[in-house]
Amino acid sequence: MRLNRDHRGWLAFTIVATIAGAVSYRLYVAASPYGASGGSWPGLAYGVLGTLAMLLAGLLAGRKKVRTWRIGPARVWMQMHVWLGLLAVPLILFHAGLRLGGALTTTLMALFAVVTVSGLFGLALQQYLPGIMTERVPLETLVGQMDHVREGLATDAYELVASLAGVVPEAAEEQARLAAEQAALQTRPGNWKAVARKPPVTDPVPEAALLRDVYLREIRPYLLRDARTRTNPPDIRTLVVRAPGEWAPKLERLAAICEESHQLAVQRRLHDVLHGWLFVHAPLSFALFVLAAFHIVMALKY
Amino acid sequence: MTRRHADGLDGQWLSLEEVAELDFFKSSKRAKLKLPTLLGAAPDAGEPGIKAVVRREYEPGEVICEAGAYGSTAFLLVEGAATAFLPERVEAKSVEGRTPRSLARILDGFRRRTRRAERTPGRPEVGEVSRYATLAHDRRLGPAAIRPGEIFGLDTCVNFYPREATVRAETRCVALEMLRSVLDTIRGAGDAIDEAYEAHAIRSTLHQSALLAELSASQIEALAAVSTLLTPDSDEVSDGVVYAEDTPADALYLVRAGTIKMSQTKAGGEFVFTYLGRGGAFGFEALMPARPRTRLVLRCASHPTLFRELALTKPITIGRSESCDMLVPKESRAIGRRHCRVEERDGELWIVDLDSANHTLLNGERIREAILAEGDHIGVVEYVFEIGREDVTAVDAPAAVRVARASGLDSFEVVRVPAEALGRLAEANAAALAAATRAGRALETAAFSRSANEQAMLEETVELNLYNSQNVLLIDLERCTRCDECVRACADAHDGVARFTRDGPRIGRYLVTMACRSCTDPKCMVGCPVGSIRREDSLEIKIEDWCIGCERCANQCPFGNINMVELSELKRPPPPREGVSLRATVCDLCAGYDGPNCVYACPHDAAIRVAPGEFLAPSDLR
């Protein structure tokens, strides 16, 4: 979530609540001969408020399960998640009397710290990475469609190469996909998304051997590589120089396909970073709630 | 024989036999030929497959259709009498919230708009694209009586604009409401429907045009008699071009439907001046007095009989030398042999002093060289020369020609008003011509005073076809984390199948998603063989359960925003029909909810539903 002017109210509330908490904590410590304690009434109050803040922040996960329910726009829940999550930090620290305590509470504090830091890290990423992705990946696609798009690019590249150099037997996967496309076209001839494909050339010119070689050696492996592999797109400038002039538009398209594949890889990496922190933040938040519940039960019981 | 049926138009639908028996349909050979196919006659049950015509009864005073409401049907009055009239002020209806489980009222405090529209739709200005254009003018046609056998609501059925007038039953009425597929079968079949439609279209356009507000009703009727309605199919229109540059300007045009692009061909490509929607007007060259196209001349103001006037088509030297173009008498010794020269440089006119002893003055000031303009006075000792223009009567006043090309961006309707007829009226009503001329000049000035960024924005708007989009789902890519909550929310609200794709062209930092744009001129709704894609009384486009999956609407949507879904993928598929395995789906703006779920479920405040023309600003292009 991008922090902007819309957050001013939340920011002011969090600052005021933190200051109020700090002042009352100072007064409470000054009035307590044995120092702050989570078991005292003021300590318990901090604990209850901190837990409430954590719970409200954590409700975002539930809100995302009922997307169509009219219980407030999701952005408001996200704002609440961010700011109440932050407010929980001083409240819990005041509840703990700025100490770690025993094994359970130390574990709780460690989890709380990791959850908070990972959340802040994610928030920081969200300020910059969407913009970077927008700038660096103009040909962005849906992440869920990425494999499909990569396959499509490989098929498009094969179609181009075959239209210049004839059938390439090694590209069996691409040929199978083209055949499947044709079969689908037969069943739904009115489908506007169907693409008219160029047939393979039957009598390729001698330069076709070079194209076929570059395709099998560089272009095809590049297009079919693991999406997370960092590799530069193949350089086909030599091919362009040596190929007949009329091939130029198709070779340009081939280069554009490689570039699109490159952009998809960049998108994949940025997407992984943008969402990777959630793999820490979400499960540890769940663990935090479980341990916090255990802590509450134990504290109330004993 | 009338029955109620859950499918099709609500009401008492008519069987093929009943429709064919009506006098109105009996007279149309074409309708006879097509109706059986259209209504999908099922011989076994005698029931039509498609319920595209319904019979309705209205009590006196009951409203048959309401001005401002969206729709996609036309009415044929069978019995009774009705009146069409325009209320004081109407606005097109938006999507209504109808959810019973909405807690929005309780949680109203949660509501906040992402970004306010800079202005709300209001009174249209000349040339402004506005879907409310015809609904907001002060002058309205008076109440019109509708008699049995007359069709009304054609404009909404054909052009999909909100209804222009409210129609109320004066006596007990029976009317047939029909989908466009039925209307199309009877239009152009010699039933005079087209002629009546054209005549009404011309009259209402002229009456409602702010440009002609100064004219009396009788003068407008006179204009209507000589005006014509142009569509892309008209003989005068070639490939959507209403007129080309440099062709004679002989008419004024008023846009009734669709979008017209005004552009000029320049060295760098096409320069788009503007695009005009309903309520817009163009072709003002026909009204404006011919611009002076005479040449600039140099004449002597102080001694007019001594020098002849010279056209400034080549450098002119003033002096005592025989080689000078303006030869000063030799006795004027204070003037140099070659005193000064008037010449053109890079399209501008300059005066250059040729190192004269007694200097050259421009409008009383001594100069070495300076740019000249029409009306400037050049002082050469006792002689004063003036930059003027050839007398207009000296050359033939050129006929007005088009300075730009007018072409339709989509299906359009334009009323052509001959300049000759306007000219005749102008003699009797000079104020009308003056108002029209002012409007034309204002449009021209606006086009030329546009900044580069504004121009880029305009061209981008045309390029992305955003000019006729009324409600677009934009995603702010600098906020969006690509979490796809919007897509999931859409799927949650629509039977597990999302109605849009988070992909599409970009405009600045915004992604224009592949979601229905609620076009003013929805091409998807043209030609549905069963009339299942339509608008009811609000903005959203709806595809009914009786869709036969022919894919025509999906093919016709220019943006690919209609998707075909296998019926087996739907959680609650419509009743099975033989040979139907697909159905079209389109974003319905989450009708049934109090707002689009894609926007509501976006946790990052990135998804917004806006009218692009009002929301996007040139600064958004970066």
Side-chain angles (χ1 to χ4, degrees):
Chain A
M1 157 155 272
R2 198 90 183 251
L3 297 177
N4 55 22
R5 292 162 62 92
D6 288 354
H7 291 250
R8 281 179 302 182
W10 284 105
L11 175 67
F13 167 73
T14 308
I15 290 173
V16 168
T18 305
I19 290 171
V23 170
S24 61
Y25 178 73
R26 190 76 193 92
L27 294 174
Y28 153 58
V29 170
S32 306
Y34 303 107
S37 157
S40 65
W41 283 112
L44 271 176
Y46 288 127
V48 169
L49 288 174
T51 309
L52 265 178
M54 280 167 55
L55 273 173
L56 285 172
L59 281 178
L60 176 69
R63 170 68 182 82
K64 285 186 175 182
K65 300 291 175 205
V66 286
R67 298 179 187 92
T68 60
W69 284 18
R70 272 15 192 192
I71 48 175
R75 65 185 161 80
V76 177
W77 286 79
M78 179 60 94
Q79 289 169 351
M80 190 167 77
H81 176 79
V82 169
W83 293 103
L84 290 189
L86 274 178
L87 181 61
V89 175
L91 293 176
I92 294 297
L93 287 178
F94 297 151
H95 166 66
L98 304 180
R99 290 189 299 270
L100 290 176
L104 176 62
T105 51
T106 302
T107 312
L108 262 172
M109 290 300 267
L111 268 177
F112 188 48
V114 175
V115 166
T116 307
V117 169
S118 62
L120 287 172
F121 178 67
L123 188 64
L125 289 178
Q126 288 175 2
Q127 309 307 302
Y128 303 103
L129 276 190
I132 292 172
M133 194 187 284
T134 305
E135 195 180 317
R136 289 196 191 166
V137 193
L139 298 173
E140 187 181 339
T141 189
L142 305 175
V143 172
Q145 293 283 308
M146 223 171 239
D147 291 335
H148 178 69
V149 173
R150 286 178 64 242
E151 282 178 1
L153 289 175
T155 310
D156 290 352
Y158 170 74
E159 179 205 4
L160 280 173
V161 171
S163 71
L164 295 171
V167 174
V168 183
E170 292 87 340
E173 291 169 42
E174 288 87 341
Q175 288 173 37
R177 278 197 291 271
L178 283 173
E181 260 184 38
Q182 281 304 312
L185 191 61
Q186 298 294 324
T187 53
R188 273 180 67 188
N191 184 5
W192 64 274
K193 289 179 181 170
V195 184
R197 297 288 192 179
K198 298 172 203 76
V201 70
T202 47
D203 49 346
V205 295
E207 289 89 343
L210 176 64
L211 171 61
R212 185 190 291 245
D213 178 51
V214 173
Y215 171 69
L216 287 175
R217 196 163 33 83
E218 295 186 40
I219 297 173
R220 188 165 181 266
Y222 179 75
L223 295 176
L224 295 178
R225 75 197 185 286
D226 180 75
R228 289 187 171 82
T229 313
R230 281 176 182 262
T231 320
N232 287 329
D235 185 356
I236 62 167
R237 278 176 297 186
T238 313
L239 180 64
V240 172
V241 170
R242 293 173 62 183
E246 62 268 23
W247 284 15
K250 286 188 178 176
L251 293 181
E252 275 174 26
R253 171 74 192 123
L254 207 53
I257 288 174
C258 294
E259 170 58 23
E260 189 171 347
S261 177
H262 174 68
Q263 287 194 22
L264 290 187
V266 175
Q267 183 190 345
R268 171 82 74 177
R269 283 198 297 275
L270 290 172
H271 191 271
D272 286 351
V273 176
L274 191 54
H275 295 268
W277 61 275
L278 277 169
F279 288 103
V280 176
H281 186 73
L284 289 191
S285 299
F286 180 73
L288 177 65
F289 279 118
V290 172
L291 275 186
F294 186 64
H295 166 65
I296 291 166
V297 171
M298 295 294 285
L300 291 177
K301 196 170 179 181
Y302 303 105
Chain B
M1 182 179 66
T2 53
R3 283 149 288 194
R4 287 209 166 268
H5 203 283
D7 289 344
L9 291 171
D10 293 333
Q12 296 172 309
W13 55 264
L14 302 185
S15 70
L16 172 62
E17 291 79 13
E18 289 163 336
V19 173
E21 277 306 306
L22 290 164
D23 289 343
F24 187 86
F25 291 90
K26 264 185 187 172
S27 63
S28 166
K29 286 180 187 171
R30 188 169 159 183
K32 268 187 201 164
L33 286 174
K34 285 200 168 183
L35 277 172
T37 320
L38 178 72
L39 297 180
D44 51 339
E47 291 187 358
I50 310 305
K51 290 80 185 176
V53 185
V54 294
R55 181 178 184 277
R56 300 184 190 283
E57 293 179 14
Y58 300 92
E59 293 304 317
E62 201 176 341
V63 171
I64 300 174
C65 60
E66 201 173 352
Y70 283 93
S72 54
T73 55
F75 295 83
L76 167 68
L77 192 64
V78 179
E79 291 171 25
T83 308
F85 63 95
L86 275 175
E88 278 305 304
R89 171 84 188 179
V90 287
E91 286 200 343
K93 288 181 179 174
S94 192
V95 187
E96 290 177 8
R98 293 186 287 271
T99 172
R101 67 182 175 192
S102 171
L103 295 177
R105 283 185 196 166
I106 302 166
L107 296 166
D108 207 41
F110 281 93
R111 290 177 169 217
R112 210 158 78 198
R113 292 177 66 171
T114 309
R115 180 168 161 182
R116 285 184 188 283
E118 284 176 9
R119 63 188 175 87
T120 51
R123 184 182 299 273
E125 291 165 8
V126 173
E128 182 188 19
V129 175
S130 167
R131 61 180 183 274
Y132 305 112
T134 58
L135 300 173
H137 288 298
D138 290 333
R139 196 218 312 251
R140 296 177 287 272
L141 288 170
I146 299 171
R147 288 175 291 275
E150 289 187 356
I151 287 189
F152 56 94
L154 276 166
D155 191 29
T156 298
C157 191
V158 172
N159 295 317
F160 310 114
Y161 283 105
R163 297 205 187 273
E164 279 190 345
T166 296
V167 177
R168 193 174 52 209
E170 294 301 328
T171 61
R172 184 185 161 280
C173 286
V174 176
L176 298 187
E177 185 176 3
M178 65 189 80
L179 290 170
R180 176 158 179 180
S181 47
V182 178
L183 183 70
D184 281 345
T185 63
I186 52 177
R187 279 184 81 193
D191 296 309
I193 295 175
D194 278 350
E195 287 89 339
Y197 174 70
E198 186 174 327
H200 171 75
I202 292 171
R203 281 184 69 234
S204 67
T205 307
L206 294 180
H207 273 280
Q208 292 168 15
S209 172
L211 274 179
L212 307 175
E214 298 286 334
L215 298 182
S216 67
S218 60
Q219 285 175 320
I220 287 194
E221 291 299 329
L223 272 188
V226 293
S227 299
T228 48
L229 188 71
L230 300 185
T231 66
D233 298 329
S234 302
D235 293 339
E236 293 174 52
V237 178
S238 167
D239 290 333
V241 178
V242 180
Y243 59 69
E245 273 176 83
D246 296 326
T247 52
D250 55 358
L252 175 74
Y253 297 84
L254 304 172
V255 185
R256 174 170 171 75
T259 313
I260 300 290
K261 179 176 72 172
M262 306 298 298
S263 61
Q264 210 174 45
T265 308
K266 293 203 166 187
E270 189 182 39
F271 175 84
V272 179
F273 287 112
T274 189
Y275 56 94
L276 303 167
R278 189 167 199 162
F282 61 100
F284 289 96
E285 302 96 325
L287 296 176
M288 289 194 216
R291 303 256 169 95
R293 293 196 171 210
T294 52
R295 293 169 297 189
L296 287 173
V297 292
L298 183 66
R299 63 170 73 104
C300 186
S302 58
H303 302 77
T305 54
L306 211 54
F307 302 92
R308 66 185 175 88
E309 198 174 273
L310 288 180
L312 286 165
T313 52
K314 58 171 189 156
I316 293 175
T317 313
I318 301 170
R320 287 184 293 118
S321 166
E322 290 290 336
S323 62
C324 290
D325 305 283
M326 285 262 185
L327 184 60
V328 178
K330 295 221 178 331
E331 53 270 25
S332 301
R333 307 290 297 179
I335 297 175
R337 273 203 287 272
R338 291 169 58 80
H339 194 96
C340 62
R341 187 173 63 235
V342 177
E343 62 186 15
E344 191 190 324
R345 291 183 210 161
D346 300 327
E348 288 179 311
L349 207 57
W350 286 76
I351 171 77
V352 183
D353 180 72
L354 301 173
D355 295 328
S356 63
N358 292 311
H359 318 300
T360 303
L361 306 179
L362 174 62
N363 299 327
E365 286 185 26
R366 183 179 155 184
I367 48 102
R368 281 286 298 161
E369 60 177 24
I371 294 176
L372 291 171
E374 187 180 346
D376 280 348
H377 288 86
I378 300 164
V380 179
V381 191
E382 75 266 34
Y383 296 93
V384 178
F385 296 88
E386 183 190 30
I387 303 292
R389 228 172 239 289
E390 281 179 313
D391 197 348
V392 176
T393 55
V395 291
D396 290 335
V401 293
R402 299 296 182 196
V403 295
R405 192 170 94 127
S407 49
L409 286 172
D410 42 30
S411 172
F412 60 83
E413 284 183 4
V414 164
V415 174
R416 180 183 186 277
V417 187
E420 196 188 347
L422 280 171
R424 280 198 301 273
L425 282 177
E427 286 170 14
N429 196 337
L433 184 67
T437 307
R438 273 198 305 277
R441 289 229 164 101
L443 272 181
E444 199 177 49
T445 308
F448 285 108
S449 62
R450 203 176 285 138
S451 71
N453 226 9
E454 286 167 335
Q455 183 62 27
M457 183 71 203
L458 177 75
E459 286 173 10
E460 195 81 352
T461 304
V462 173
E463 175 75 22
L464 295 180
N465 278 300
L466 289 173
Y467 50 83
N468 67 350
S469 304
Q470 298 185 80
N471 196 316
V472 173
L473 173 60
L474 296 181
I475 291 183
D476 185 339
L477 290 172
E478 292 187 353
R479 292 182 176 199
C480 175
T481 64
R482 283 73 167 170
C483 66
D484 274 342
E485 280 293 303
C486 49
V487 182
R488 291 190 194 106
C490 183
D492 287 354
H494 296 104
D495 218 8
V497 179
R499 299 281 178 94
F500 80 99
T501 311
R502 190 180 53 77
D503 203 355
R506 293 180 180 182
I507 182 162
R509 68 171 198 268
Y510 292 105
L511 176 78
V512 184
T513 59
M514 292 175 74
C516 179
R517 300 177 176 192
S518 302
C519 302
T520 50
D521 172 29
K523 293 178 180 61
C524 55
M525 282 165 63
V526 179
C528 173
V530 295
S532 65
I533 180 165
R534 61 199 184 106
R535 269 188 178 135
E536 290 183 315
D537 56 356
S538 51
L539 187 63
E540 78 271 15
I541 287 172
K542 184 180 177 186
I543 297 176
E544 302 285 3
D545 275 353
W546 69 83
C547 166
I548 55 170
C550 70
E551 304 191 52
R552 187 176 287 189
C553 53
N555 291 337
Q556 287 188 167
C557 172
F559 317 111
N561 291 345
I562 295 183
N563 291 308
M564 302 307 298
V565 181
E566 297 278 350
L567 292 181
S568 55
E569 287 178 32
L570 299 173
K571 285 179 191 162
R572 289 186 299 274
R577 295 164 68 101
E578 196 180 333
V580 177
S581 60
L582 293 170
R583 72 163 292 172
T585 59
V586 68
C587 166
D588 60 356
L589 298 176
C590 285
Y593 293 89
D594 55 1
N597 281 293
C598 48
V599 175
Y600 199 72
C602 174
H604 302 289
D605 206 6
I608 42 176
R609 269 267 175 199
V610 291
E614 291 163 22
F615 178 80
L616 291 170
S619 56
D620 288 325
L621 283 179
R622 284 196 295 189

